[in-house]
Amino acid sequence: MNRKFFSILLLCLWLPVCLVAQSRLDSVQHIQEVLVAAPLATSKAIIPAQQLEGKQLKALNSFSVADAIRYFAGVQIKDYGGVGGLKTVNVRSMGTNHMGVFYDGIQLGNAQNGQIDLGKFSLDNIESISLYNGQKSDIFQPARDYGSSGSIYLKFRRPHFSGQEKEHLKATFRTGSFDLVNPSFLYERKLSEKVNASINAEYIYSSGKYKFRYKRVLPGSNEVAYDTTAIRKNGDIHAFRVESGLYGRTEDGHWEVKTYYYDSERGIPGAIVNNRWMNAQRQWDTNFFVQGGWRKVITDRYDLMLKMKYANDRMRYLNPDTTLMYIDNSFRQQEAYASLAQKYQLTTYWDVSLSTDLQWNWLKSDLEGLVYPTRRSALVALATALDLGPFKSQASVLGTFINENITSVANSDGQAASSAPNKEEITPAIFFSYAPFENHDLTFRAFYKHIFRMPTFNDLYYTDIGNIKLKPEFTHQYNVGFKYAKTMANRSLVHWELQADGYYNEVTNKIVAVPKGSGMYRWMMMNLGRVEIRGLDAVAAATFDLPFEVLLNLKGTYTYQKAQDFTPRKNPDLEKTTWGGQIPYIPWHSGSFIASAGYQSWQLNYSFVYVGERYHNSANIRENYEQPWYTNDVSLLKTVALNDWSLKVALEVNNLLSQDYEVVLNYPMPKRNYKLTLTLEL
Amino acid sequence: MSRLLLGLHCLLLLGALSSCREEVELFSSDEIDLEKPEETTAYRGFYLLNEGNMGSNKSTLDFYDFDSGTYSRNIYAEVNPDVPKELGDVGNDLQIYGSKLYAVINVSNKIEVMDAQTATRIGQIEIPNCRYIQFEGKYAYVTSYAGPVEINPDYTQRGFVAKVDTATLQVVDECLVGFQPDELAIVDGKIYVANSGGYMGAGSSDNYERTVSVIDMESFTEEKRIDVAANLHRVRADQRGDLWVSSRGDYKELPSRLFFIDSEKQAVTDTLDIPVSSCYLSGDSLYVCSVSWSYITYSNEITYAIVNTKTREVVTRNFITDGTDEEIEIPYGVMVHPVSGDIFLADAGNYVTPGMLYCFERSGKKKWSVRTGDIPAHFALLKKD
């Protein structure tokens, strides 16, 4: 059955290629002519992304991708603190597992727990970060790009050589608080007219030590009840990353191959609780992947894109703390992925596309009682795009077909000794945009998307808590919004823009841990939860060309989210405590503000993040209340030219007001801290 | 330009309007007026220890006053405002002995010692991974999972019973027992300790402990082991000095069960086909709440039973008679008023949000309910001065 199913899919995948190859033979003369002139299909997202790029990205005092993403509207970061602390992203309150993170065009996977730690990705050499709600509304993309509720695309610097340039060299050194030592190095080389290469390596060490303070006052009198300052320990990290890329152009397309290797050891600083002010858990990660893409214009109407990836991830977790259960577990995940996307232009205003992806995931572990699951996924996306000038529309249908096996049962005599049943889901998305005026850059937009996330391997198979009967967790998203932009010549206000979106999301079949059986905190994963989210995202930006050649950029975001828990409970009394409650860690109000001013070789940046009041669980009672927090960061940059070299010096001060705050309960964040960055570029 | 500036001002104004961070206030307790019990002669009330989910540091203490019928929620911080990070992480046992209240706080590696009448902190006993506490004479006896580590060739760590001087709050002696010892009971100069092996058996059920350790109190050494069943948890001594021991089972094939140890014979002589999560011995009646997961219905199956410890028979399998049992999510602790027979039952809900405390008449009819802290679990009855 499954074999047959996969053969049909394979046929789907390759048949059009064969057909086109044939038709090409018939009209070979014609094609030859057009090929040279045919432009590569450019990205045609009809709802633009929120984007941070270039100078603006550098202006943020951000160390990792997670730090930068805080400046997007609609995004919440869970940050456990410090350089090595776990940082995960949640867009529009649908949960981390609904986010797709794409690394140079191919999704990063974690079939085991579905979480991508964005703290692991440094901003070194990232050219742009884009956030798409729903999906990138571009139909020429792999099927997996249709498969998340929201997507973040990380685009890395690639070599560009002008004139006689043959090589680029960039060396960066960062140091500062937390005993940070962070050298990185980039070398780019033009191998031939058509092929460029780059190699990039980075090392990060930080002791992760910082002072934190817990102060409580007596209600009413504001007299100090206790005021304790301690040092965060076991937050150290040693990480090494090396990446290389080959980038080629052909007459009618381009290709690239990237390899990535990351190796780290870190302490897990853990929760600070009474009488336990440090923890001892350690984690080792080794991540490797190689990925490649190839794009070709086959005819003036037909484009082809092939992408492939192989990833091998190892993780070891050690709890050596003798006051807790000793744990030393290793997990190894592998992923193989191939995608073929095809786009055909039916008329000048109407495109269709078919994308077919195949993916395999494996998980092995020495954890007792854990089975070794294998997941085979086939994704087929059929999409169409209509471009009628002011009115644009795209619609897509994604078919996801999943088959799982367990290849070995390690010491298990329990319930999880069989694999989860096959899953087939068909999910649609539709996007519109309408620009009513020719002379004004005003666009209205709307989208609807229905998608799901698969239960992770942990949800399905983890010893004792796993539940193979889990169904996927679904989301429905409804969004309407607009964008207005205005550019003016010869004015001090050169450009300004405003965009806002209102949305309603539903998460159904939400996978939640339910207490199971007797005592000892045993849980079972169940499809019980339901969340409704009503929200508003707004982004405003302006650029000023001020006297004395001062260039000023301002950007502000605001997010309102009412994310309510409507999970039914058995106990009506208890249901009252959580029904309609704001879900954990989602503030009603949050926002950010960035200002950067450039004067000749100087740049001064200011950034502000505000996260309003929220609760750490969906019983919105006094005991679970969390105060707002906000950080003010300032940095000063100076660029010095030395012959062919340029030297950049940046001094940053983060959390200027030294606010004591927690993003996650009992995980204190650093007070005021500093960083110095030196960048030498040829 | 002016329009944009206006917009920016609006944004800043919005920032100003939205609340700013203030000093974080310590929790003050909530007081809820409930129905007064009819019988208030011998007892002042009871404390309820909420465990709090691991890492949340939300173990809290509640008190129900029989005289006024007032339920005071989360009293520890108010009584002891100068203790950094309050009561601690994961309360695991609560007992009153003499004039003192002892709260075993598992992840905080301590036993909080308080004045029983006021809950004012007296001090703390430092015992890593401490589990349960019992008393005899001037000593407290505490089980702990965290004995010495041995590597031969695998990592193993036996548990121990600590002997604590209740006057100085210092550990004066330790006695090694089995893996992951849980409850303990003291009868006739002997300590009976239920060994669970909970850390060992997760992968393979054969690795659970099956025994009760018997410690001779005079020499404070482990005298013998009594074989019972896999993964032991509760041990309670009845009025005749015989022992009732529960096994959790392996959560797979082996079910949870209740066993009877004849203290004369020092052996298991009876087994009751009843799963046990929490229990309370009142006179000859052992109130037993049990939650067991069913892989058939994919839900928890819950029973509320009473066992007659004299006849060793199950008297009822549902002591809640008004249908409230249909609503309770996870019964996690039970206590019975020695005089009135009122039944107090704690519902731990979903473990991460507040639970609920129920009061039932002796007949099993609900009198009242009140919201508690997270994972309400352990009761300690307070006698009048």
Side-chain angles (χ1 to χ4, degrees):
Chain A
M1 163 64 201
N2 289 316
R3 191 147 299 189
K4 199 166 126 199
F5 170 71
F6 268 81
S7 339
I8 292 169
L9 273 170
L10 277 172
L11 201 66
C12 265
L13 181 69
W14 295 111
L15 192 64
V17 184
C18 307
L19 289 177
V20 166
Q22 274 186 346
S23 69
R24 202 180 156 182
L25 284 175
D26 302 337
S27 56
V28 72
Q29 292 302 325
H30 171 69
I31 292 158
Q32 288 287 317
E33 280 173 16
V34 181
L35 267 182
V36 186
L40 282 173
T42 47
S43 173
K44 276 201 226 161
I46 64 169
I47 299 183
Q50 287 190 63
Q51 201 171 49
L52 284 167
E53 60 182 338
K55 266 198 173 159
Q56 206 174 28
L57 193 56
K58 289 194 182 79
L60 305 172
N61 294 9
S62 298
F63 189 71
S64 72
V65 170
D67 296 337
I69 283 175
R70 297 183 305 171
Y71 297 95
F72 287 135
V75 170
Q76 298 305 332
I77 303 277
K78 254 193 175 178
D79 186 344
Y80 291 77
V83 176
L86 177 67
K87 293 169 178 64
T88 59
V89 189
N90 177 359
V91 170
R92 293 184 168 180
S93 305
M94 290 176 289
T96 293
N97 288 321
H98 285 283
M99 276 311 298
V101 181
F102 293 78
Y103 193 93
D104 259 342
I106 298 185
Q107 193 176 1
L108 292 164
N110 185 345
Q112 188 187 354
N113 65 21
Q115 287 192 346
I116 304 295
D117 182 358
L118 286 170
K120 275 186 192 163
F121 296 96
S122 82
L123 281 178
D124 200 34
N125 300 315
I126 286 192
E127 214 156 62
S128 71
I129 303 174
S130 312
L131 168 71
Y132 292 93
N133 293 113
Q135 67 200 27
K136 185 158 87 181
S137 47
D138 169 10
I139 65 164
F140 191 37
Q141 61 186 359
R144 240 172 114 172
D145 293 46
Y146 296 92
S148 309
S149 298
S151 305
I152 288 168
Y153 286 79
L154 309 177
K155 193 172 168 226
F156 288 78
R157 168 175 166 160
R158 49 207 60 212
H160 291 294
F161 296 100
S162 52
Q164 293 303 305
E165 283 183 331
K166 279 245 179 288
E167 55 186 10
H168 292 152
L169 194 66
K170 183 182 157 198
T172 307
F173 184 76
R174 294 183 191 82
T175 183
S177 303
F178 325 121
D179 307 307
L180 178 72
V181 178
N182 176 210
S184 86
F185 169 81
L186 171 75
Y187 178 67
E188 293 173 334
R189 170 105 197 161
K190 189 172 184 174
L191 297 180
S192 73
E193 278 309 311
K194 289 189 168 173
V195 182
N196 294 327
S198 78
I199 184 159
N200 168 218
E202 179 180 19
Y203 174 76
I204 301 170
Y205 167 76
S206 167
S207 69
K209 284 183 185 158
Y210 56 85
K211 276 189 186 164
F212 63 92
R213 178 179 178 193
Y214 281 106
K215 182 184 174 189
R216 294 290 180 270
V217 298
L218 298 176
S221 71
N222 262 23
E223 240 176 88
V224 176
Y226 62 80
D227 186 354
T228 307
T229 299
I231 290 173
R232 196 73 165 128
K233 285 182 185 147
N234 198 44
D236 61 303
I237 177 165
H238 303 256
F240 173 71
R241 174 178 64 87
V242 59
E243 274 175 81
S244 66
L246 277 177
Y247 308 88
R249 273 183 297 120
T250 58
E251 269 175 25
D252 50 5
H254 56 74
W255 58 268
E256 64 178 64
V257 178
K258 286 199 78 168
T259 54
Y260 174 98
Y261 177 81
Y262 176 87
D263 188 60
S264 72
E265 177 187 346
R266 71 190 68 205
I268 302 174
I272 296 292
V273 300
N274 172 280
N275 211 31
R276 184 190 280 270
W277 292 77
M278 63 173 289
N279 293 279
Q281 292 77 11
R282 312 286 304 170
Q283 184 177 318
W284 290 262
D285 288 282
T286 308
N287 306 105
F288 167 78
F289 65 76
V290 52
Q291 69 181 39
W294 172 70
R295 232 165 112 157
K296 191 173 163 69
V297 176
I298 306 286
T299 77
D300 57 342
R301 285 165 172 253
Y302 181 53
D303 289 39
L304 200 69
M305 180 164 63
L306 183 69
K307 289 189 174 181
M308 291 176 106
K309 178 176 180 174
Y310 169 75
N312 191 326
D313 300 322
R314 283 164 197 270
M315 193 271 271
R316 178 181 167 215
Y317 173 86
L318 174 73
N319 172 39
D321 186 341
T322 56
T323 70
L324 295 168
M325 180 175 174
Y326 178 80
I327 299 171
D328 186 357
N329 288 137
S330 297
F331 299 89
R332 183 173 158 200
Q333 289 193 69
Q334 292 181 85
E335 178 176 306
Y337 171 72
S339 164
L340 180 75
Q342 309 164 74
K343 186 174 70 108
Y344 189 75
Q345 192 185 64
L346 292 171
T347 70
T348 49
Y349 54 86
W350 190 14
D351 291 349
V352 289
S353 76
L354 175 69
S355 307
T356 314
D357 295 9
L358 295 175
Q359 186 181 319
W360 293 261
N361 290 89
W362 297 269
L363 172 67
K364 284 188 174 183
S365 164
D366 59 1
L367 176 69
E368 275 194 287
L370 187 72
V371 298
Y372 298 169
T374 304
R375 174 179 291 175
R376 295 190 291 171
S377 318
L379 294 93
V380 182
L382 192 63
T384 177
L386 207 56
D387 184 348
L388 304 172
F391 179 79
K392 295 183 175 71
S393 168
Q394 286 180 4
S396 59
V397 176
L398 174 68
T400 309
F401 308 91
I402 288 172
N403 163 253
E404 286 180 20
N405 279 309
I406 37 182
T407 51
S408 160
V409 181
N411 296 329
S412 174
D413 45 0
Q415 295 296 326
S418 57
S419 62
N422 290 354
K423 287 178 185 66
E424 298 178 17
E425 299 294 343
I426 309 288
T427 48
I430 186 155
F431 292 75
F432 302 100
S433 83
Y434 177 57
F437 309 110
E438 216 161 280
N439 302 327
H440 292 282
D441 190 1
L442 174 67
T443 315
F444 294 97
R445 61 215 192 182
F447 78 83
Y448 164 74
K449 182 169 186 178
H450 172 44
I451 192 67
F452 64 95
R453 71 139 176 128
M454 273 295 291
T456 63
F457 281 157
N458 281 356
D459 294 337
L460 293 164
Y461 301 111
Y462 202 87
T463 309
D464 205 38
I465 69 165
N467 178 358
I468 57 165
K469 293 192 176 173
L470 283 179
K471 295 184 286 263
E473 179 178 310
F474 291 98
T475 65
H476 292 267
Q477 300 179 68
Y478 306 82
N479 183 100
V480 288
F482 73 93
K483 180 176 182 177
Y484 182 74
K486 192 163 174 120
T487 304
M488 289 153 284
N490 307 318
R491 298 272 293 270
S492 55
L493 174 59
V494 185
H495 176 86
W496 69 275
E497 60 180 65
L498 176 70
Q499 53 176 318
D501 288 273
Y503 53 88
Y504 171 70
N505 298 340
E506 270 176 23
V507 183
T508 56
N509 268 355
K510 190 177 167 72
I511 297 169
V512 291
V514 173
K516 161 186 171 183
S518 56
M520 298 295 275
Y521 302 118
R522 295 179 58 243
W523 309 83
M524 189 73 178
M525 304 311 291
M526 299 285 279
N527 287 104
L528 277 178
R530 178 186 165 83
V531 179
E532 289 179 12
I533 303 127
R534 290 160 179 87
L536 175 80
D537 295 350
V539 183
T543 305
F544 296 88
D545 200 349
L546 299 174
F548 307 106
E549 286 171 35
V550 173
L551 195 69
L552 176 67
N553 276 294
L554 303 177
K555 186 178 180 181
T557 67
Y558 167 76
T559 304
Y560 170 78
Q561 283 184 75
K562 187 174 174 186
Q564 294 172 284
D565 187 349
F566 289 108
T567 303
R569 308 271 307 257
K570 184 180 169 190
N571 186 331
D573 288 341
L574 290 176
E575 191 176 86
K576 274 183 216 149
T577 67
T578 54
W579 188 261
Q582 184 85 348
I583 61 170
Y585 297 115
I586 302 297
W588 279 271
H589 305 278
S590 58
S592 68
F593 178 71
I594 306 166
S596 59
Y599 171 70
Q600 293 181 355
S601 62
W602 292 88
Q603 199 184 337
L604 181 66
N605 306 305
Y606 166 75
S607 49
F608 173 75
V609 170
Y610 175 86
V611 172
E613 55 182 7
R614 63 222 182 280
Y615 288 89
H616 64 244
N617 77 42
S618 46
N620 293 174
I621 54 173
R622 217 160 50 98
E623 287 91 328
N624 301 332
Y625 176 78
E626 296 291 326
Q627 287 215 30
W629 61 263
Y630 33 94
T631 53
N632 295 271
D633 301 346
V634 177
S635 68
L636 183 66
L637 270 84
K638 164 80 179 159
T639 308
V640 188
L642 309 153
N643 302 325
D644 285 351
W645 296 81
S646 91
L647 174 70
K648 275 186 212 159
V649 183
L651 184 67
E652 302 173 12
V653 184
N654 300 311
N655 194 4
L656 196 66
L657 302 179
S658 211
Q659 190 172 83
D660 301 302
Y661 69 105
E662 289 178 339
V663 180
V664 179
L665 182 67
N666 299 325
Y667 286 80
M669 298 294 287
K671 296 166 84 80
R672 186 183 306 120
N673 60 85
Y674 307 89
K675 192 157 73 206
L676 175 71
T677 307
L678 302 170
T679 308
L680 196 62
E681 215 165 335
L682 177 68
Chain B
M1 173 88 194
S2 61
R3 259 194 316 183
L4 185 93
L5 281 178
L6 189 76
L8 277 173
H9 275 114
C10 285
L11 203 78
L12 287 174
L13 194 69
L14 193 84
L17 281 178
S18 47
S19 42
C20 286
R21 195 177 176 87
E22 290 157 8
E23 295 279 13
V24 186
E25 287 185 352
L26 206 68
F27 287 116
S28 49
S29 65
D30 288 324
E31 296 207 338
I32 302 105
D33 286 323
L34 300 168
E35 207 178 302
K36 278 188 208 177
E38 298 99 52
E39 169 55 55
T40 58
T41 47
Y43 297 92
R44 230 196 90 193
F46 64 80
Y47 290 98
L48 171 63
L49 181 66
N50 299 283
E51 295 193 350
N53 202 12
M54 191 167 170
S56 72
N57 196 47
K58 283 169 78 178
S59 184
T60 56
L61 197 62
D62 299 348
F63 183 75
Y64 177 57
D65 189 310
F66 289 150
D67 281 331
S68 62
T70 306
Y71 190 80
S72 305
R73 186 165 53 217
N74 201 352
I75 60 168
Y76 180 86
E78 192 173 276
V79 180
N80 305 288
D82 55 348
V83 179
K85 303 232 75 175
E86 302 86 36
L87 185 56
D89 199 25
V90 190
N92 203 68
D93 197 11
L94 186 72
Q95 299 289 339
I96 290 172
Y97 186 67
S99 62
K100 290 181 190 136
L101 172 68
Y102 297 80
V104 181
I105 313 294
N106 177 255
V107 179
S108 289
N109 294 330
K110 65 158 191 186
I111 294 131
E112 184 76 11
V113 185
M114 293 160 278
D115 179 84
Q117 295 296 331
T118 62
T120 308
R121 178 184 157 95
I122 294 167
Q124 67 184 37
I125 305 164
E126 303 264 357
I127 297 176
N129 208 339
C130 41
R131 300 287 301 171
Y132 291 94
I133 190 165
Q134 282 297 323
F135 305 88
E136 179 76 29
K138 58 187 281 255
Y139 296 104
Y141 296 88
V142 181
T143 51
S144 161
Y145 283 2
V149 170
E150 283 175 49
I151 310 214
N152 64 350
D154 294 329
Y155 181 105
T156 55
Q157 186 181 24
R158 281 167 67 186
F160 65 92
V161 175
K163 183 177 177 181
V164 182
D165 187 323
T166 53
T168 63
L169 307 183
Q170 296 301 309
V171 175
V172 293
D173 206 354
E174 286 178 8
C175 174
L176 278 185
V177 290
F179 292 110
Q180 293 84 49
D182 277 323
E183 284 197 350
L184 67 171
I186 298 171
V187 181
D188 290 339
K190 303 230 185 311
I191 307 172
Y192 295 85
V193 183
N195 297 308
S196 75
Y199 289 172
M200 318 290 290
S204 168
S205 302
D206 297 339
N207 295 337
Y208 282 117
E209 284 277 10
R210 300 183 44 86
T211 57
V212 164
S213 289
V214 184
I215 297 172
D216 177 64
M217 292 179 86
E218 202 163 312
S219 60
F220 204 57
T221 50
E222 187 183 23
E223 195 177 67
K224 66 185 311 191
R225 299 269 187 110
I226 303 170
D227 185 73
V228 184
N231 200 1
L232 302 181
H233 184 200
R234 310 280 179 197
V235 52
R236 305 285 164 96
D238 67 19
Q239 299 199 26
R240 287 155 295 281
D242 294 321
L243 296 148
W244 293 84
V245 184
S246 78
S247 80
R248 294 184 180 101
D250 67 351
Y251 316 116
K252 295 169 193 158
E253 264 94 72
L254 293 170
S256 170
R257 282 286 175 271
L258 181 62
F259 298 89
F260 175 76
I261 294 178
D262 185 315
S263 59
E264 294 259 307
K265 294 184 185 144
Q266 298 265 306
V268 174
T269 59
D270 205 350
T271 306
L272 271 78
D273 179 13
I274 188 167
V276 181
S277 306
S278 49
C279 59
Y280 189 83
L281 191 64
S282 176
D284 278 333
S285 293
L286 186 68
Y287 287 72
V288 175
C289 297
S290 73
V291 185
S292 47
W293 182 260
S294 163
Y295 278 99
I296 296 155
T297 61
Y298 268 76
S299 62
N300 287 310
E301 284 175 359
I302 301 170
T303 48
Y304 304 91
I306 299 174
V307 173
N308 183 325
T309 53
K310 213 168 175 178
T311 62
R312 303 208 287 274
E313 277 168 354
V314 178
V315 179
T316 171
R317 283 191 185 258
N318 200 352
F319 61 70
I320 300 175
T321 52
D322 63 351
T324 309
D325 53 313
E326 296 295 324
E327 294 178 353
I328 291 170
E329 292 180 5
I330 298 278
Y332 209 77
V334 59
M335 201 259 307
V336 180
H337 193 288
V339 184
S340 70
D342 281 354
I343 304 161
F344 298 92
L345 188 74
D347 182 354
N350 63 8
Y351 287 174
V352 290
T353 58
M356 198 61 80
L357 173 67
Y358 288 86
C359 176
F360 296 94
E361 287 172 7
R362 188 195 286 268
S363 65
K365 233 180 93 209
K366 181 180 155 185
K367 288 171 86 172
W368 49 259
S369 65
V370 64
R371 174 161 65 80
T372 63
D374 297 357
I375 318 184
H378 309 280
F379 295 89
L381 255 178
L382 179 64
K383 280 187 184 139
K384 285 209 163 150
D385 260 343

